[in-house]
Amino acid sequence: MIVYPAIDLRGGRCVRLRQGRPEAESVFADDPAVAARRWAAQGAEWLHVVNLDGALGETGHENLAALDRILAAVEIPVQFGGGLRSSEDALHLLDQGVSRVILGTVAVSHPEVVIETLMRTSPDQVAVGIDARQGRVAIHGWREVAEIDAVSLGLRMARLGVERLVYTDVSRDGMLAGVNLEDTLTLARETALSIIASGGVATL
């Protein structure tokens, strides 16, 4: 099992949003690089970093600067998502030193971006983030719900060549109530993809 400590960035700081709500924010650290070094020192094999401002449709310049500091602070691989809208965005991040990019809303709205990114990189460098509310895919920073359900999107991504999904039940995110095991396992069985379970992880 690989544990991915998460660093969610908003305004350049480490935060937690309860159930994806921007108004329900807790700040955990002002310097994400310090948090990254702490996770690495505790034995983390990977870091999961999210640009929340980017996911919410903002630029998130402070978060990209924080990402640079994180990459300089640790030697372990970093996967990064939030607001990636083009293959060029993804390639730029990989060139910067990110080991894996996470594509979310574009997988629903512009699947051609997923195809192009896979063609220009490798499946190990690309994951698709599926955030769901009651089984249906939440997009644009969880503010909208698409018509497609999580399993259907996962199957669609598998047909495109995606090998890894990051699955989050938004209702569990930030609540420390445990992951949605049933839906996570269903997604794994139905798609046969590697799944990173996210949202509500609280115990071993």
Side-chain angles (χ1 to χ4, degrees), residues 15 25 118:
V15 306
E25 175 186 284
L118 287 169

Side-chain angles (χ1 to χ4, degrees), residues 3 10 25 39 51 61 74 101 115 118 139 141-143 180:
V3 176
R10 193 172 186 215
E25 175 186 284
W39 285 123
N51 175 2
H61 290 311
V74 298
V101 291
I115 296 171
L118 287 169
I139 57 176
W142 316 290
R143 291 175 297 186
N180 184 333

Side-chain angles (χ1 to χ4, degrees), residues 120-139:
R120 299 171 70 179
T121 58
S122 72
D124 194 51
Q125 293 177 291
V126 179
V128 166
I130 298 181
D131 303 330
R133 291 186 188 274
Q134 297 180 333
R136 289 171 59 196
V137 176
I139 57 176

